Amino acid sequence: MAAPAPSKNSRKALGRLSLPERTFVADALRAETVGGVLLLVAAIAALVWANTLSGSYESVSDFHIGPSALGLDLSIEHWAADGLLAVFFFVAGIELKRELVAGDLRDPKAAVLPVVAALCGMAVPALVYFLVNITGGGSLDGWAVPTATDIAFALAVLAVIGTSLPSSLRAFLLTLAVVDDLFAILIIAIFFTSDINFAALAGAVVGLGVFWLLLRKGVRGWYIYVPLALVIWGLMYNSGIHATIAGVAMGLMLRCTRRDGEEHSPGEHIEHLVRPFSAGLAVPLFALFSAGVAVSGSALTDVFTKPETLGVVLGLVVGKAVGIFGGTWLTARFTRASLSDELAWPDVFAVASLAGIGFTVSLLIGELAFTEDPLLTDEIKAAVLMGSLIAAVLSSVLLKLRNAKYRAVCADEERDDDLDGIPDIYEEDKPEYHLRMAEIYEKKAAEHRRLAEVTGGASDGSSRPA
């Protein structure tokens, strides 16, 4: 009996990307991968420095610099967390804006899967932390620590283990991280803001209004925007709201849609300029001055015995994997979307495990959550490092098991037999492609016929008697 025709309403979850989106994702992830490797190097350097020359590490981290009259006499560690990470969140704001107006998130049907997966991937780790600390009598202040995903560190792991993850899964991971960053920003703004200086906040809002107005008027010149951005950042910091919010707000104001005659939108252009600074300098320096925790046998044991640190580890390793996988499966189930033919559910679980690498934002939230307890702050940092390491190892094993399949999928995605610069998989429904391929095959067939005649003629000549 003939197989039933596919339903008109059937959809593919994690299906093939459009060519423009695939190109954008490839470029974005390439930069993030380089930044992730630098982030990994910085984290290792911080651990080595803190455990061999702890006195000098603490001296440099605690060294204060900045104008005290402006309320900006901060330690080096503080400048890295509040200043340099504002650049990271500025880029995150641009990414989010682009996804909302020009990327996958602009289509509600396409946005449902990564948004639900990201929300579940934040809610379940928080729930795991909550349950562990309710049971163990620990502090609930760190519930948000295991909710974040570090896309740069995750891509660094992919680069190190050399897996050929298909573009659809890479895009899924990137979109997850963008949504993750959005809700991490909201968590920081809502739950980690204490006393508010309304005068400074009003000044920051006015500055953002001027920033927006200049953008609307098409005013150009870094010498205008950079000083204005610094003023907005300083006012936001003094308002009591975490200063990284200023970076996000400015990133969201940039236009990320292209107009006639534009090769790139202003947002894309500025992101292209700022991303190397963010990924190559800002985030690695933050890691250098945040990841330096003393590692000893007793410290590692404490990670698995204290409820706060155990909650972070289990939240990252178990909560992230279960939350993202469960959210993806439930979304596909209730929207009646079938998984792409190229993928299997174990692939989704492997990527969900990879998202358990929560480094940059997790470290930041850990510092904010336990400001009054430096010892517990260091223990939470150690738990973030341990949880991220376990998640990295687990996901590496799972991804390696499927790497042969991934290589075949990537080879299909990259194949360009007609040599026109566009992968064949995007042209298979175009008559011009098939005409070009027919011409190529005809040339190859003619060449084979010529070689056959030459070979046949040589054989006839050699068989004649001397």
Side-chain angles (χ1 to χ4, degrees), residues 286-300:
F286 167 75
L288 183 64
F289 292 108
S290 293
V293 294
V295 178
S296 63
S298 60
L300 294 178

Side-chain angles (χ1 to χ4, degrees), residues 14 17 50 74 81 120 127 165 193 236 239 293 296 307 313 349 359 433 446 451:
L14 301 178
L17 302 178
L74 310 178
C120 292
L127 179 61
L165 203 62
T193 296
M236 189 68 76
S239 74
V293 294
S296 63
V313 173
F349 187 81
F359 188 77
Y433 163 76
L451 291 174

Side-chain angles (χ1 to χ4, degrees), residues 101-117:
V101 301
D104 285 347
L105 296 184
R106 77 185 187 279
D107 179 6
K109 290 182 179 179
V112 167
L113 181 64
V115 170
V116 172

Side-chain angles (χ1 to χ4, degrees), residues 437-453:
M437 291 305 300
E439 184 178 350
I440 290 171
Y441 288 138
E442 285 171 4
K443 289 180 179 179
K444 288 183 177 179
E447 179 64 16
H448 283 298
R449 280 193 293 269
R450 186 188 66 80
L451 291 174
E453 290 172 359

Side-chain angles (χ1 to χ4, degrees), residues 29-190:
L29 294 183
R30 193 175 299 114
E32 291 284 4
T33 301
V34 174
V37 173
L38 293 175
L39 179 63
L40 184 61
V41 171
I44 294 172
L47 288 170
V48 172
W49 187 5
N51 285 276
T52 54
L53 300 169
S54 59
S56 67
Y57 182 83
E58 292 174 1
S59 297
V60 174
S61 297
D62 294 337
F63 182 78
H64 280 62
I65 188 173
S68 56
L70 299 177
L72 296 175
D73 182 21
L74 310 178
S75 67
I76 297 295
E77 181 180 1
H78 210 159
W79 275 111
D82 286 79
L84 292 177
L85 274 196
V87 180
F88 166 79
F89 279 107
F90 174 69
V91 175
I94 299 175
E95 288 179 340
L96 177 61
K97 179 68 173 291
R98 199 207 74 86
E99 285 291 332
L100 289 171
V101 301
D104 285 347
L105 296 184
R106 77 185 187 279
D107 179 6
K109 290 182 179 179
V112 167
L113 181 64
V115 170
V116 172
L119 286 174
C120 292
M122 299 184 79
V124 175
L127 179 61
V128 169
Y129 180 92
F130 183 82
L131 292 175
V132 170
N133 282 271
I134 282 289
T135 305
S139 171
L140 300 180
D141 292 343
W143 64 270
V145 175
T147 60
T149 293
D150 194 311
I151 183 65
F153 219 139
L155 292 171
V157 170
L158 289 178
V160 170
I161 65 175
T163 187
S164 303
L165 203 62
S167 59
S168 58
L169 285 178
R170 289 179 181 267
F172 179 61
L173 185 61
L174 178 61
T175 309
L176 271 176
V178 169
V179 178
D180 197 298
D181 286 341
L182 168 64
F183 286 100
I185 291 160
L186 293 176
I187 287 171
I188 291 170
I190 295 170

Side-chain angles (χ1 to χ4, degrees), residues 5 9 109 119 177 199 223 238 244 264 279 287 289 381 420-421 457 464:
N9 295 324
K109 290 182 179 179
L119 286 174
Y223 46 84
N238 281 284
T244 53
H264 301 287
F289 292 108
K381 288 181 180 181
D420 66 342
R464 291 173 185 170

Side-chain angles (χ1 to χ4, degrees), residues 74-431:
L74 310 178
S75 67
I76 297 295
E77 181 180 1
H78 210 159
W79 275 111
D82 286 79
L84 292 177
L85 274 196
V87 180
F88 166 79
F89 279 107
F90 174 69
V91 175
I94 299 175
E95 288 179 340
L96 177 61
K97 179 68 173 291
R98 199 207 74 86
E99 285 291 332
L100 289 171
V101 301
D104 285 347
L105 296 184
R106 77 185 187 279
D107 179 6
K109 290 182 179 179
V112 167
L113 181 64
V115 170
V116 172
L119 286 174
C120 292
M122 299 184 79
V124 175
L127 179 61
V128 169
Y129 180 92
F130 183 82
L131 292 175
V132 170
N133 282 271
I134 282 289
T135 305
S139 171
L140 300 180
D141 292 343
W143 64 270
V145 175
T147 60
T149 293
D150 194 311
I151 183 65
F153 219 139
L155 292 171
V157 170
L158 289 178
V160 170
I161 65 175
T163 187
S164 303
L165 203 62
S167 59
S168 58
L169 285 178
R170 289 179 181 267
F172 179 61
L173 185 61
L174 178 61
T175 309
L176 271 176
V178 169
V179 178
D180 197 298
D181 286 341
L182 168 64
F183 286 100
I185 291 160
L186 293 176
I187 287 171
I188 291 170
I190 295 170
F191 296 99
F192 297 104
T193 296
S194 51
D195 297 331
I196 297 179
N197 182 331
F198 287 99
L201 179 59
V205 171
V206 170
L208 288 170
V210 173
F211 188 87
W212 177 82
L213 187 62
L214 292 173
L215 289 172
R216 292 281 292 179
K217 295 294 184 182
V219 176
R220 298 187 178 186
W222 65 268
Y223 46 84
I224 296 174
Y225 289 102
V226 171
L228 178 58
L230 291 174
V231 170
I232 293 169
W233 175 87
L235 288 167
M236 189 68 76
Y237 175 81
N238 281 284
S239 74
I241 296 176
H242 202 271
T244 53
I245 304 300
V248 178
M250 288 184 279
L252 287 171
M253 289 181 180
L254 291 171
R255 177 169 59 83
C256 293
T257 53
R258 300 178 190 177
R259 292 175 179 168
D260 292 341
E262 286 185 340
E263 185 177 355
H264 301 287
S265 68
E268 290 172 327
H269 176 66
I270 293 173
E271 182 186 7
H272 180 72
L273 294 176
V274 178
R275 185 188 288 275
F277 176 78
S278 171
L281 184 65
V283 175
L285 280 178
F286 167 75
L288 183 64
F289 292 108
S290 293
V293 294
V295 178
S296 63
S298 60
L300 294 178
T301 302
D302 288 344
V303 166
F304 297 99
T305 55
K306 289 191 174 182
E308 295 89 351
T309 51
L310 180 61
V312 169
V313 173
L314 292 179
L316 289 172
V317 177
V318 178
K320 273 290 183 183
V322 172
I324 292 174
F325 179 82
T328 305
W329 186 85
L330 287 172
T331 303
R333 170 89 173 172
F334 285 106
T335 59
R336 298 181 180 180
S338 59
L339 197 64
S340 171
D341 296 336
E342 301 166 342
L343 303 174
W345 284 109
D347 300 321
V348 179
F349 187 81
V351 170
S353 300
L354 186 65
I357 301 174
F359 188 77
T360 305
V361 180
S362 290
L363 290 175
L364 175 61
I365 295 177
E367 291 180 357
L368 297 174
F370 300 103
T371 304
E372 305 300 326
D373 191 341
L375 178 60
L376 186 54
T377 298
D378 283 346
E379 291 172 341
I380 289 293
K381 288 181 180 181
V384 170
L385 294 173
M386 180 58 68
S388 298
L389 177 61
I390 295 172
V393 172
L394 174 62
S395 59
S396 297
V397 172
L398 295 175
L399 290 169
K400 274 294 187 182
L401 293 175
R402 295 274 293 169
N403 203 31
K405 173 66 176 177
Y406 297 154
R407 281 199 300 267
V409 172
C410 288
D412 285 339
E413 290 181 350
E414 298 293 337
R415 195 179 72 253
D416 183 19
D417 290 339
D418 61 343
L419 305 177
D420 66 342
I422 300 175
D424 295 342
I425 203 167
Y426 291 97
E427 299 186 295
E428 290 175 345
D429 59 344
K430 296 180 179 179

